Structure formats: structure tokens, C-alpha cells
Amino acid sequence: MTLDERHRQQRVGQRTRHSRRPTVEHAAWVFYAVAAIGSTIGQIWVGVQTPPWPDTLHWWWRATFVAPFAIVIDLGGAVTAAFADWRQRLGESAYGWRILSAATVTVGVTTNIVGHADVAYLAVVFGGLGVFAYAIWLMHSAARRRDALRAAGKLADTAPAFGIGQWWREPAVTRRARSLAVAQRLPLHQSLDIARQQLRDEKRRAALASHVETLIRSRHDDPVRADIAATTLDLDAVAATLTAQADVPGWARVIGADLTPPTPNSDVDADAERNPAALPVGPMPPADVLRRVPQDQASYDRWRQLWAELKANPDLERAEFAQRHNISLRQVQRISRIGASGLLDSPLTLIDRVAQLGGNNGHARQHPASAS
């Protein structure tokens, strides 16, 4: 998902939220009004019945006297909560306003519950209205405060919903992905992939740093100097540098060469070991190339060694190989061509093999004559 698409989705989501918010806000305020009126009625009811009023004083006069106090209690809880929310938006803790708001609501709820204790239904209804309304008000104001802080850039964006299954399977990966998604505004799956890679790299780098520390300590006989060296160096930085310098393709070639299946040349090598004088059956190179095969044993062994190295590293550049061994590129090409024909598989030089084969053939021709 591109950045433009992400911003487009965010704008669509914001428009959707803004279009739904007025309806939700209106319903919330209607609920607060009904709950406040209900709580106030319950407190007025208690005020009309509980105090020792004169019998000659009608109930509506009692309600008139009690109503201001009941209204002040409910309104005070809302006003102090609004003040607390306002100061919290400015970055303050507003503990005083929050404590005063909770104390005011507690007085109103306690009045309703204790005053209607003889009728459980009325105690639950009037007391529950106050508790329920105040709890929803706290959550509502907290949500509005977070929206305002987020719009002002004072609050981090929300992270994607990873789901309970993802948290259960990979808690460490999900925790890292959540931080990455919030910090870099990454989508869900990309943040998970990056988190997995980071944790793998950190685990490998920590193991490598441990080995580096062991190596550094082994270079010093004095344990104090070993501690100084191991503490002075940034082992994580050394491990990261070693990882960057690692010849991964080279190791892959070496390991891959050991895992390749046997080739027909392996059978030729086995035949050469069993019968060093045997000549290869494959296509022979031209005469001008054959004349370049060394006749002395030392030079021939040198060619065999170079061919074995070429055969073990088929992806190695010929120019690099020639420069490494201080020989010409043409000579490397000759060694490759002659080695591919099988003429370098035997430990005997070509002339020695021809001579040995000639002697064996002479014995084979003379043996039947001697038998007759």
C-alpha cells in the first residue's frame, strides 16, 4: 500500500467518524440529561421523605427546598469533571478536580442508595443511574480528550489491531510490530515482517557479540586487561561490522559444492585412482592444446592442483583466478580445457601413462605366445 493510498484511507475514515459523531454526541447528551434528571428526582424524593419536616408542610414545599441542593450535587459532579477534562487537555494531571468530581458523585449516589434502602428497586435504579452516567461521562470525555490531543499532534496514532491470535502466537514480534506501526506509520503485515527480521538480526548479533567477547578475552593472559578490552569495545558494533563484511555468496558456493550430487567426472576420478595409467574416454582436446600438458611431474602436479581448485569453484572468475595464482588467463583456459577432458585426473603424467599402457599391451601380446 502506497503512502497516498494510506492517506486517502485515513481521510475517508476521518470523514466517516466526523459524519457519525454528531448522532453519537447527541445521543450521549440526551442520556446524560435523562440520567441527571433521574438522579436528581431520586435525591429530591429522599429529601422529601427522610428529614423531619413538620407535618403541616406540604410535600411540594419540601421538594422546592430540597431541589436546589440535589441539582447542585449532580451539576457539581458534571462541572468538576468538565474542569478536570479541560486541564488534562492542557497536559495537567488535574487530580484536585478529579477527586472533587468523584467525591460529589459519590455523595449523590450514596444519598440515593441509602435513602431508598427500604425499596431495593428504587435504590438500584436511582443509584445505578448516577454510577452509570458518571462512568460513561468519564470514558466519553477521555475519548474526546484523546481525539483533541491527537489532532494537535500531542498524542501518538493508534496502532493496527493485530488480533488475539497474533498476540498469542508471537507476543514479542507483535509488541515490536505495534511500536513500528505507530512510529513509522506502517501497515499491519509490513510491520510484522520488519519486526520478525529485526528480532532475528538482534538474536544473531547478540550471539556473535558473545563469541567476539570470548575471542577478545582469549587474546589477553591478564584477566584485568581482558576485561578492559572487552568492556572498551562496542561488541554490538563489531558484530554488525562483521556481519556486513561476511562473504555470504562465498560460503554458499563452498557449502553448495559439498551438496552437489556425484557427476560422471567422479566416476572418472575413481577409475583414475584404481588404474592411474588409464586414458580418458571423453573427447580429446586439439593437438596444440595437448602439447601444453606438462611432461615433468612437478609441473603436472601443479596443473592438477589448479584444476581441482577450478572444479571446486565453478563460479570463480577466470581472470581473478589467474591473478590469484600469478599465471596468465590463457594458461587458466588451457588447464580448464584439458581438465574437462579428464587428462588431469590421473596422478601420472600423460607421457608416463602412454608408456605404461604400451608396456601392458606388449605383455598382453606376448602372453598368448608363451602359452602356446
Side-chain angles (χ1 to χ4, degrees):
M1 181 184 296
T2 62
L3 186 61
D4 294 337
E5 293 176 350
R6 196 180 308 148
H7 288 167
R8 192 180 305 112
Q9 290 184 358
Q10 291 177 355
R11 288 194 295 270
V12 171
Q14 290 175 357
R15 286 197 297 268
T16 304
R17 288 192 297 269
H18 291 164
S19 63
R20 295 177 179 176
R21 178 174 294 178
T23 304
V24 176
E25 294 283 346
H26 293 161
W29 289 114
V30 170
F31 169 77
Y32 295 144
V34 172
I37 293 174
S39 177
T40 303
I41 291 174
Q43 295 180 53
I44 294 174
W45 192 334
V46 173
V48 170
Q49 293 182 343
T50 303
W53 300 102
D55 296 336
T56 58
L57 189 63
H58 295 286
W59 68 268
W60 52 271
W61 280 112
R62 300 178 186 181
T64 303
F65 291 142
V66 173
F69 300 99
I71 294 173
V72 165
I73 291 176
D74 286 327
L75 186 61
V79 170
T80 51
F83 268 106
D85 178 66
W86 171 46
R87 301 313 300 177
Q88 285 180 284
R89 293 191 186 192
L90 299 179
E92 299 179 6
S93 300
Y95 288 123
W97 289 110
R98 293 157 69 182
I99 293 173
L100 183 59
S101 174
T104 305
V105 172
T106 301
V107 171
V109 172
T110 304
T111 301
N112 277 322
I113 294 176
V114 175
H116 297 284
D118 54 338
V119 182
Y121 175 77
L122 296 178
V124 171
V125 169
F126 289 119
L129 279 175
V131 174
F132 191 39
Y134 188 66
I136 293 181
W137 165 261
L138 291 180
M139 292 187 289
H140 183 196
S141 61
R144 296 176 63 191
R145 181 172 62 254
R146 289 193 300 271
D147 291 341
L149 293 175
R150 190 175 292 111
K154 298 180 180 180
L155 191 67
D157 292 335
T158 56
F162 292 93
I164 298 177
Q166 175 61 37
W167 280 100
W168 178 265
R169 289 192 303 271
E170 300 176 301
V173 172
T174 309
R175 192 179 303 110
R176 177 68 62 87
R178 187 178 186 276
S179 301
L180 290 173
V182 172
Q184 304 180 16
R185 295 184 177 180
L186 298 176
L188 186 145
H189 296 290
Q190 185 177 358
S191 63
L192 286 173
D193 293 339
I194 296 177
R196 293 188 185 100
Q197 184 63 40
Q198 286 186 357
L199 291 176
R200 283 196 298 266
D201 293 342
E202 290 176 1
K203 185 176 181 180
R204 182 173 58 252
R205 190 161 53 247
L208 181 57
S210 176
H211 295 310
V212 170
E213 181 180 1
T214 303
L215 177 62
I216 293 173
R217 292 180 180 277
S218 65
R219 299 299 180 90
H220 300 278
D221 297 331
D222 188 355
V224 177
R225 289 190 175 90
D227 291 338
I228 293 174
T231 307
T232 303
L233 288 175
D234 188 351
L235 300 179
D236 291 334
V238 175
T241 304
L242 287 175
T243 302
Q245 295 178 354
D247 186 7
V248 177
W251 278 106
R253 286 196 298 268
V254 172
I255 297 173
D258 293 338
L259 300 178
T260 54
T263 60
N265 289 336
S266 302
D267 299 334
V268 174
D269 295 341
D271 294 338
E273 292 179 0
R274 289 192 298 267
N275 186 8
L279 291 175
V281 183
M284 298 297 291
D288 60 332
V289 179
L290 285 174
R291 285 195 295 268
R292 303 291 181 177
V293 180
Q295 302 301 322
D296 60 293
Q297 189 66 41
S299 301
Y300 178 77
D301 291 340
R302 173 64 173 166
W303 274 42
R304 292 189 70 229
Q305 180 182 359
L306 295 175
W307 166 241
E309 187 174 347
L310 281 172
K311 190 164 55 173
N313 300 278
D315 297 332
L316 186 63
E317 294 291 337
R318 295 295 186 259
E320 180 183 351
F321 183 82
Q323 184 178 3
R324 180 188 301 176
H325 294 281
N326 196 21
I327 57 178
S328 64
L329 179 60
R330 184 179 295 276
Q331 186 174 355
V332 175
Q333 294 172 350
R334 291 170 182 163
I335 294 174
S336 300
R337 194 166 184 179
I338 294 173
S341 67
L343 292 175
L344 296 177
D345 295 333
S346 174
L348 300 178
T349 61
L350 181 58
I351 190 171
D352 291 340
R353 278 184 283 174
V354 172
Q356 187 172 352
L357 285 174
N360 292 338
N361 291 337
H363 280 295
R365 288 190 296 268
Q366 293 172 7
H367 184 70
S370 61
S372 60

